[in-house]
Amino acid sequence: QNGVDAQDRIAAVIGADKVMGGLAFVSGVIESPGVIRYQSEMSALRFGEADGSMSPRGLAFAKAAEEAGFKAELMPDIRAAQWQKFVGLATNAAMCCLVRKPVGVIYHDPDLVEVAKQAFAEVVAVAKAQNIPMPDGIAEGELRRHLNFPPGMYASMFYDLDRGRPIEVESFSGLISRLGRQLGVPTPVHSIAYACLKPHAQGRPAS
């Protein structure tokens, strides 16, 4: 359920009182059925109520996660946290899928870096147009963070694209493109990424 709109779509079906927004920090790939290969050591969850409350169910989940041995943090503003992650998530997914190369290539090529910088900035601009708080310098910080990723790492959406599976482009660059049009924010990089990847949204047709 990557992206920033999943909880709204789910809440419309089962009710907002049964949903909490969240985000995961993990890099992994399904190597074979039942086998997940981690690409890096990062492993954490952040989640929260739409109204920012420290709810009993949220506190109970955080405690259960801690007892299970992984970090899960109940956030007072999960929307802002989701959008802050989305700056890198949506951009890296678009770049890896368009270029078909890992981060070690993308963020060390000066021409590709300029494209990525613009894509990071577009997500920030769309968030700010919705009055979602974003830290100063977040786009520059995301570039520095991606420079430090393991050089062979790909965005998870690339693996789905490469294997002919459905991809999350509607909730990534597609969402940025649509919101940009609605809010009057130019999003040329994400709009191009969406247009180029949209034909693969449902995966490769079965032969």
Side-chain angles (χ1 to χ4, degrees):
Q1 302 295 328
N2 269 328
V4 293
D5 63 340
Q7 67 264 38
D8 297 323
R9 292 159 56 198
I10 295 170
V13 177
I14 66 173
D17 60 322
K18 298 181 176 67
V19 179
M20 279 192 288
L23 61 159
F25 294 88
V26 61
S27 177
V29 59
I30 301 174
E31 194 164 74
S32 60
V35 178
I36 308 297
R37 173 163 51 87
Y38 275 72
Q39 305 286 77
S40 78
E41 293 300 315
M42 62 178 177
S43 183
L45 295 176
R46 292 178 184 168
F47 63 99
E49 301 285 3
D51 63 2
S53 64
M54 300 289 113
S55 66
R57 67 173 180 169
L59 292 168
F61 180 74
K63 184 174 184 293
E66 181 181 359
E67 291 173 351
F70 64 92
K71 183 179 179 182
E73 184 180 359
L74 180 59
M75 304 290 293
D77 191 345
I78 192 59
R79 295 284 187 186
Q82 286 175 317
W83 273 91
Q84 288 167 25
K85 180 188 176 186
F86 199 51
V87 174
L89 176 67
T91 296
N92 196 43
M95 296 299 293
C96 285
C97 287
L98 290 176
V99 181
R100 267 60 162 191
K101 292 290 184 180
V103 298
V105 173
I106 293 168
Y107 301 101
H108 292 83
D109 180 291
D111 295 315
L112 291 173
V113 164
E114 290 304 311
V115 177
K117 281 181 177 178
Q118 177 62 40
F120 289 138
E122 289 173 12
V123 185
V124 174
V126 168
K128 287 182 174 179
Q130 300 173 87
N131 297 315
I132 294 169
M134 303 294 278
D136 292 339
I138 184 172
E140 295 81 2
E142 281 299 317
L143 177 59
R144 290 192 298 271
R145 194 167 71 90
H146 283 67
L147 281 167
N148 290 321
F149 281 168
M153 181 189 292
Y154 288 86
S156 60
M157 192 167 83
F158 166 79
Y159 292 106
D160 291 327
L161 176 69
D162 189 52
R163 295 171 181 177
R165 296 172 178 168
I167 60 174
E168 299 164 297
V169 67
E170 290 289 348
S171 289
F172 285 13
S173 291
L175 181 68
I176 295 301
S177 179
R178 290 189 297 274
L179 287 175
R181 288 197 301 272
Q182 293 170 19
L183 298 165
V185 176
T187 60
V189 174
H190 281 286
S191 293
I192 290 169
Y194 175 55
C196 292
L197 295 171
K198 182 170 61 171
H200 304 279
Q202 300 307 314
R204 190 181 300 127
S207 56

